[in-house]
Amino acid sequence: REDLKRVLKKAGLEGRDTVFLFSDTQIVQEGFLEDLNNILNAGEVPNLLGPDDLEQISAGVRTAMAAAGMTINKMTIYSYFVNRVRSCLHLVLCFSPVGEAFRQRLRMFPSLVNCTTIDWFSEWPVEALTSVARSFCADLELDSSGANGGAGGRSRDDLLNGVLAACVHIHQSVEAKSKQYYAELRRYNYVTPTSYLELLNTFLRLLAEKRSEVSAAKKRLEGGLDKLTSTAAQVEVMQHELQELQPVLAATAKEVEDMMHVITHDKEEAAETKKIVEQQEREANEQAAAAKAIAACRIPQEV
């Protein structure tokens, strides 16, 4: 309602030609249509303007009324304001015929039909479809280098014309199939200009999403290739170092082998020495036992 109030003041106070564009996608509640119905029918919306707004209107149109030689009072001021609104305000309503809501609204608010000029926009020609698609794709980046194998070295204009032709063909093929659908089953499938705009928006959105996915996959692949290259370089360095260390390793292995021989020989000598020591220990133990026995025999004789 604030938008309507601002538009009415602009048309009624300033006398400027004003267009109020309203589409069915903006209908949050049916009361919007009731206000538009009142404007179409009477040029005003009941109870829309408050006392402050009426004071502003009275102060704003007095000069114009005086210049026109009109009588200035409360009734003539408001009547002059409403007439200027009817003359300067142009309502443009964009409704889709799809569904039952359109028929119901026309029955509930007859001024939408009786006080308007209806322009039916049905099929767009090929030139219009191509022009709209070109406008949507004006900033579209296309790879014309042929580096990816898909472009084949074609120019950007050729690629863009191919994209536009594909969009037009898709829309027209759906229109043709919708006519066939009605002819065979007597059921409507509405294909409106909005459908074409949704097609273009969907194409651009999917293209952006797929390009983002491909870019992310490309970055992962490049990261993997960098890792493989780095690993291969490290392996090459390690192989070179290993080749350089081969003589040192061979000499170390020979030293270890010689040392093992020495250790084995020393172990054998230690085993022989251990046997001799054990034999001497047994003999010493036997001699000690014999000595103890002799000593035990002498002690009683002395006593």
Side-chain angles (χ1 to χ4, degrees), residues 219-268:
K219 289 181 179 179
R220 289 197 299 269
L221 179 59
E222 290 177 346
L225 291 176
D226 291 341
K227 287 292 184 181
L228 290 175
T229 303
S230 175
T231 303
Q234 293 177 0
V235 169
E236 184 178 358
V237 171
M238 294 173 66
Q239 288 178 342
H240 181 69
E241 293 177 351
L242 182 61
Q243 290 177 355
E244 292 180 349
L245 290 175
Q246 284 293 339
V248 178
L249 293 175
T252 304
K254 183 66 171 63
E255 292 177 358
V256 170
E257 185 178 358
D258 294 341
M259 187 176 294
M260 290 299 295
H261 286 300
V262 172
I263 292 173
T264 303
H265 182 265
D266 291 344
K267 287 177 67 176
E268 292 177 353

Side-chain angles (χ1 to χ4, degrees), residues 5-303:
K5 188 185 296 186
R6 185 168 57 253
V7 170
L8 291 176
K9 288 181 179 179
K10 183 178 294 185
L13 286 178
E14 302 176 15
R16 296 171 54 185
D17 287 328
T18 305
V19 174
F20 183 75
L21 178 62
F22 188 79
S23 66
D24 54 359
T25 58
Q26 296 173 289
I27 301 176
V28 179
Q29 53 186 358
E30 296 298 319
F32 291 177
L33 293 177
E34 183 177 359
D35 293 339
L36 295 177
N37 183 76
N38 290 326
I39 293 176
L40 290 171
N41 188 38
E44 61 175 335
V45 179
N47 303 320
L48 177 65
L49 301 173
D52 294 338
D53 299 318
L54 294 176
E55 287 293 333
Q56 182 183 1
I57 291 171
S58 177
V61 300
R62 283 180 180 272
T63 303
M65 292 180 66
M70 299 178 63
T71 303
I72 301 176
N73 55 51
K74 189 173 182 179
M75 295 297 296
T76 56
I77 288 175
Y78 189 72
S79 177
Y80 180 79
F81 173 77
V82 171
N83 288 333
R84 290 185 80 177
V85 169
R86 288 180 175 179
S87 176
C88 299
L89 179 60
H90 308 279
L91 294 181
V92 179
L93 308 178
C94 302
F95 288 173
S96 173
V98 179
E100 183 64 26
F102 180 67
R103 301 181 183 88
Q104 184 67 21
R105 287 164 180 167
L106 293 184
R107 286 193 292 265
M108 292 178 60
F109 309 106
S111 293
L112 296 178
V113 177
N114 300 331
C115 301
T116 59
T117 300
I118 301 177
D119 292 330
W120 291 92
F121 294 92
S122 54
E123 297 181 2
W124 283 0
V126 176
E127 293 78 7
L129 295 174
T130 304
S131 176
V132 171
R134 189 180 300 278
S135 176
F136 268 74
C137 300
D139 299 329
L140 183 63
E141 296 182 1
L142 296 174
D143 183 11
S144 59
S145 62
N148 297 328
R154 297 165 60 189
S155 66
R156 182 187 182 279
D157 291 339
D158 292 339
L159 293 175
L160 181 59
N161 290 333
V163 171
L164 302 182
C167 294
V168 172
H169 173 72
I170 292 172
H171 183 72
Q172 289 185 327
S173 63
V174 173
E175 286 182 339
K177 288 298 180 181
S178 297
K179 293 179 180 178
Q180 181 182 352
Y181 180 66
Y182 176 75
E184 295 178 357
L185 301 177
R186 293 297 174 184
R187 299 181 64 179
Y188 286 100
N189 177 53
Y190 292 98
V191 182
T192 63
T194 303
S195 305
Y196 186 60
L197 300 180
E198 291 177 354
L199 168 66
L200 296 175
N201 285 324
T202 301
F203 166 71
L204 295 176
R205 177 174 54 80
L206 288 177
L207 180 62
E209 290 177 358
K210 294 303 178 182
R211 280 182 170 177
S212 178
E213 293 176 4
V214 171
S215 178
K218 179 182 177 182
K219 289 181 179 179
R220 289 197 299 269
L221 179 59
E222 290 177 346
L225 291 176
D226 291 341
K227 287 292 184 181
L228 290 175
T229 303
S230 175
T231 303
Q234 293 177 0
V235 169
E236 184 178 358
V237 171
M238 294 173 66
Q239 288 178 342
H240 181 69
E241 293 177 351
L242 182 61
Q243 290 177 355
E244 292 180 349
L245 290 175
Q246 284 293 339
V248 178
L249 293 175
T252 304
K254 183 66 171 63
E255 292 177 358
V256 170
E257 185 178 358
D258 294 341
M259 187 176 294
M260 290 299 295
H261 286 300
V262 172
I263 292 173
T264 303
H265 182 265
D266 291 344
K267 287 177 67 176
E268 292 177 353
E269 290 183 352
E272 292 295 331
T273 303
K274 183 179 179 181
K275 290 179 180 180
I276 295 173
V277 170
E278 290 177 351
Q279 180 64 32
Q280 291 177 352
E281 183 180 2
R282 284 196 299 270
E283 293 177 355
N285 290 334
E286 291 176 356
Q287 292 178 1
K292 286 181 180 181
I294 294 172
C297 292
R298 287 181 179 178
I299 291 174
Q301 291 178 1
E302 292 177 354
V303 173

